[in-house]
Each structure stands twice: as structure tokens, then as C-alpha cells.
Amino acid sequence: MWAGRFSKALDKKADDFNSSISFDCRMYKQDITGSLAHASMLAKQGIISAEDCEKIIAGLGAILEDIESGKLEIDMNCEDIHMFIEAELTARIGDAGKRLHTARSRNDQVAVDIRLYLRDKAAEVKELLRELIDAVTEQAEKNKAVILPGYTHLQRAQPITFGHHLMAYAMMLLRDISRLDDAVARMNYSPLGSCALAGTTYNTDRAYTAEKLGFDGIMLNSIDGVSDRDFCLELMSAFSIIMMHLSRFSEEIILWSSWEFSFVELDDSFTTGSSIMPQKKNSDMAELVRGKTGRVYGNLMALLTTLKGLPLAYNKDMQEDKEAIFDSVDTVIACLEVFAPMIRTMRVKADNMYRAAQGGFINATDLADYLTKRGMPFRSAYKIVGQIVAECISKNCVLDTLPLEEYKKYTELFEADLFDEISLETCVSKRISAGGTSVGSVEQQIAYVKKELLK
Ligand code: ARG
């Protein structure tokens, strides 16, 4: 391509080292789409002739078709996908192909391609998130009245409904969608026409190509146009947060599937056995999602670090953006694809959850509230209940089975109705505060999420 300036070919090792086609080949379609818009603009502005433009458009269309049908193999000896397509076009249509790169550089070309590629991929991730939210909400609806212990510090804390617990994840995943929307909205401006860095002396129409490519406008500074990779970082941050949510969810699924908890059982189709221990049923999918979170975080840190010392404008370092962001996108998609059906087919062991809720004194707060509602200051009630819990532990009983006479020794405020007040069912059904764990509140949360999914 640059034979004019050079008297020697590139060293073979240097050539391989420099090449990005092995990974940027996946953007062939976006590269062609960008070139089609660019060629029409050049013709509209009288920069190339209408005949040349027609040849370019037909030629690019044929290349796209041939790549997709498998007739044309992408030549891995080319430096990158941009050079391959331009060279192939010129081989097919001659001089007209050599005119395509007028008023353009690979610097703005690659910046367009990645944006177009990530716009599609972000939409794919969003769709998978919606599918997962739907699966979570379906389980929440089925289990809205199932009682289990809610935990803080992984210590039994207060009774909650399983529907409530699941809907916490639905809310997180909804925010993940809106984070993607935010990132895409900022990304969706066209760098095309920034050229190498300084713009061009040709009378180009950047707004025209931007509109043709579905961008919301043009990037207003050409140096920024070719230098910016914040959109990759924003998406990678959003992907990292999605993975963090999936990883926390995975961790719970792994715990819940253990004999110690035995709260859920994953479907056979989403678990694996052991090669030696016949009794094993492992939550490999959840473990892998938790594990893959590390690489998505790592990719974000890698690109942040790559970019931090770069002077404006384009530097070859920036070619390192693609493997990182592609790996993150692929990983998030792969994780979401197994996660939704894994949740949908998960079996909930309501009896075990309930049994766990009966231990651990998780109705102690409600017993303190009982006294408070009868006039005792909360701190005093808190202290008395602490003493009662200690007594129960020493007597090997629970609050529900300690006789009323024992209660009365602490304060005359205790009456027989206390047992009703501290039953697990009451603890849950009375938590009607907005966002709380009662069935009615969970139903409202489910209705909200369903409405959001329709948007
Ligand atoms: N393969 C390059 C990349 O991915 C394309 C842009 C190259 N531009 C250049 N002036 N060397 O970043």
C-alpha cells in the first residue's frame, strides 16, 4: 500500500506483529457499510464520479455477499480488514476502487467500524438482559410467598420472600440496560470524515454520512473523532457491572445449591457431574460466570491502561482496543445466554427455605417492634429481646416456643398475641412498606419490571 515511500518490504515477524486482521476481520460488514456511505457522499459532493460510485457500491455489495456465502475468504496476510476490503475492491473494479479512500483515513474508518459493531452488540446484550429479567421475574412470581431467611453478613437476619430476593436482581439488571442505553447514546456520533486527524480540504458532507449510518450527529472535533475510545471504556464498564451482578447471583446459586443450604436445585441440563464422585452435581455454569467476571474486569483495566499515556491523536497502541472489547462482548453474551435458561429451569425447595427461616431468631426484630408498639422505647426493647434470645439459646428453644410466663418475667407488656405477631407469616405479610418483602409489595415490583420490559 505504501510502496512509494519504502524501498524494502516489512520484515515477516514485524508484519505479523503489526497485523490486526485476525481479530478485526469480524468487522467486515461494518467496514463495508461505512465505505458505502462514504462513497455515496463522495459522489454526491462531486468528489468522485457517479460511475465510479456505482462501481464501488456494486463491488462492495458483491464482496459482502461473497464473504457471507463463504465464496470469498478473508486474506489473513493483509494488515487489517480495511486494507483487505479496499485491495479486494480494487482487484475487482480497478481504478474506481482506488478512489474510495479519498478524504478518509483508516483512523476515522476504524473508529466508525467499532462504533457500528458495538452498537449492534450492545443491542444484542440488551435483548439478552431482557430475557434474563423475564426469567427472574417469572421465578419471582411463582415464589412470591415462599419464605426464607434474608441475610446480612451471611448471617440469618430477617424473614423475606424469595420473590423479593429475586426481584432485587431484576432491578439491578434493569439498571444495566439503562447503563447500556446511556453509553450507546454518547457513542452514537460519527467520526467519519475526521480523516487522519485534521479533517480534509475536500468539500465533504459529514452530516450526510452520519445520517446514512444511523448516527445522531457528527463528532465535532476531528482530533477527538480519531482519538476517542471512551465509548469502549464506557461499554466495558457497563459490561463489568453486568458481570458483577451475574457473579453475585452466581455465588448465591452456588451456595443455595450446596447440601448445607439446599434451597434450590439447578436443572440437570445446566449442571455437571464429577468424573470420580458419583454423587456430585456441580453448578459449573454459575461458577464459570463468576470466573469469567475476572476477564471482563481485566479487559477494562487493560484498555484504561493502554490509553492513559497516549498523546493525541491516533497511535497504533489503539489497535489493542479491539481484542479487549471483543472478548468482553463475547463473554457477556455467552454468560447471559446460559444464565437465563439456568434461572428459568431452577427448582426452588420452598420447604428447606422455610425450615431455615425457623432457626436463627430472624423474628427478633419483630419481637422488639412488638414492645415498641406497646410504648417501650426501641433501644430498651432491643436490649430485652437480646436477653430473651440468650435465654432461648441456653434453653435450646426458639422465640416461638418460649412459654408466655417466661416472657412476662421481662415485662408485663407481653401478651399471648405476641406469638402471632412474631410468626414468620406475620413478619413477612406486615412488611408492607414500599419496596418491602410482603407479597403485595413484591407484586408491585413485578408489575413495575414487567411494564419496563414492554418499553
Ligand atoms: N488496524 C488499525 C487499528 O485497529 C487501523 C487503523 C490504522 N491506522 C494507521 N494509521 N495505522 O487501529
Side-chain angles (χ1 to χ4, degrees), residues 32 58 391:
I32 289 173
E391 184 184 336

Side-chain angles (χ1 to χ4, degrees), residues 2 18-21 23-24 27 79-82 105-107 110 114 229 314-322:
W2 34 79
N18 194 43
S19 165
S20 56
I21 196 156
F23 48 87
D24 64 22
M27 302 192 301
E79 186 186 319
D80 56 30
I81 190 64
H82 326 293
S105 153
R106 275 185 301 157
N107 298 350
V110 72
I114 314 174
R229 294 291 182 274
Y314 178 83
N315 301 269
K316 193 72 173 207
D317 315 46
M318 291 161 73
Q319 181 165 288
E320 290 290 308
D321 59 358
K322 277 170 283 305

Side-chain angles (χ1 to χ4, degrees), residues 370-390:
Y370 175 91
L371 292 177
T372 310
K373 284 174 185 163
R374 280 153 189 79
M376 187 180 285
F378 179 75
R379 272 292 156 243
S380 316
Y382 172 95
K383 190 170 172 200
I384 287 181
V385 173
Q387 291 163 344
I388 298 173
V389 166

